[in-house]
Amino acid sequence: MATAPFVLYGAPGSGATPVHAALTLMDLPVKVVDVAPWQGEHERGRLSAVNPMRQVPVLVLPSGEIMTESAAILVWLADRYPAAGLAPHIDDPTRAQFLRWMSFVSAAIYSLYWVRDEPSRLASSPEAEATVLERTTERIAQCWRDMDAQMPRGPRYLLGDRLSVLDLYVTVVSRWQPRRLRFYREAPRMAEVVRRVDTEPRLLDHWAARYPFGKDWESEGP
């Protein structure tokens, strides 16, 4: 009996992109529904039936259960399908750091895009909005610096010699503002890793379809 596919809600380049990358590496069936809630009320309304918070990503499991929160989805998938080797096992010495940094990217960096997407959520004037954007840019850069300073040197990937969902997560989020060129300067160790993930042979078609490397993508991006 055929397994029902996962259904993934989220636009190209969004927080759904690393989830889709993980599903690709796991060779799991997935149906993608493109929706970009940062583009306005109409797009957010399209999510109301599947996620009352009206945010992406949303992953509908084959059972019909709904998951939200990118870090939680990635950790769950990696643990649910261990044969793909995309997360340290619970007894692995790197498991604690894996969970630490998955949470850090989500809470300290990704969460700032809620206000960056619509600065008026916290700012009451154009001048205040500009200040919010400037300060969140610097905060994101600082977070990347702090994380990079604590990454082990030597392994091919962030926590060892095997690709993990943490690498997928950082690779996608590092393409958002303040864009990759700033990220390379702030996080030289992680820069080596994300460039490696950018060229991962198993993901070339995925990147081309869901987050293509267009002209000036490192400084401007989609």
Side-chain angles (χ1 to χ4, degrees):
M1 186 163 122
T3 301
F6 289 86
V7 181
L8 178 62
Y9 290 79
S14 73
T17 305
V19 175
H20 196 174
L23 291 164
T24 299
L25 293 176
M26 294 169 180
D27 197 25
L28 294 171
V30 57
K31 174 185 175 183
V32 178
V33 180
D34 284 342
V35 57
W38 56 88
Q39 291 182 354
E41 190 62 26
H42 173 73
E43 287 289 280
R44 285 193 285 270
R46 294 176 58 206
L47 287 165
S48 296
V50 290
N51 180 12
M53 293 179 287
R54 305 197 302 171
Q55 298 172 342
V56 295
V58 181
L59 185 66
V60 183
L61 311 187
S63 65
E65 183 179 0
I66 290 171
M67 282 197 74
T68 66
E69 313 314 314
S70 54
I73 294 170
L74 288 166
V75 172
W76 183 86
L77 283 171
D79 286 348
R80 177 66 180 79
Y81 300 95
L86 291 178
H89 186 268
I90 192 169
D91 296 325
D92 190 292
T94 63
R95 178 71 178 191
Q97 295 306 305
F98 167 72
L99 293 176
R100 174 194 182 192
W101 293 119
M102 288 294 294
S103 298
F104 179 81
V105 173
S106 176
I109 300 172
Y110 192 130
S111 64
L112 292 178
Y113 292 95
W114 178 83
V115 64
R116 288 190 61 83
D117 288 343
E118 293 186 41
S120 61
R121 285 168 164 160
L122 295 183
S124 58
S125 69
E127 294 78 14
E129 289 183 20
T131 298
V132 165
L133 290 174
E134 178 184 359
R135 291 181 178 177
T136 53
T137 291
E138 294 309 310
R139 172 58 181 164
I140 291 165
Q142 179 65 56
C143 287
W144 287 132
R145 282 198 300 275
D146 291 343
M147 184 175 178
D148 191 72
Q150 298 175 72
M151 286 291 109
R153 267 51 183 172
R156 286 177 53 79
Y157 297 102
L158 294 180
L159 295 178
D161 291 323
R162 293 194 67 170
L163 176 69
S164 77
V165 293
L166 176 62
D167 303 296
L168 301 178
Y169 207 21
V170 171
T171 295
V172 172
V173 177
S174 66
R175 291 184 63 176
W176 301 346
Q177 289 285 2
R179 303 296 184 196
R180 273 288 188 83
L181 293 183
R182 178 76 183 269
F183 175 81
Y184 297 153
R185 296 196 301 271
E186 305 294 355
R189 157 67 182 125
M190 293 196 293
E192 298 174 9
V193 173
V194 299
R195 288 187 176 110
R196 187 168 291 122
V197 180
D198 288 340
T199 58
E200 166 59 47
R202 296 173 295 168
L203 290 173
L204 293 181
D205 289 344
H206 167 72
W207 297 137
R210 303 304 298 175
Y211 209 175
F213 303 108
K215 184 177 182 295
D216 298 325
W217 70 272
E218 290 174 305
S219 59
E220 296 179 8

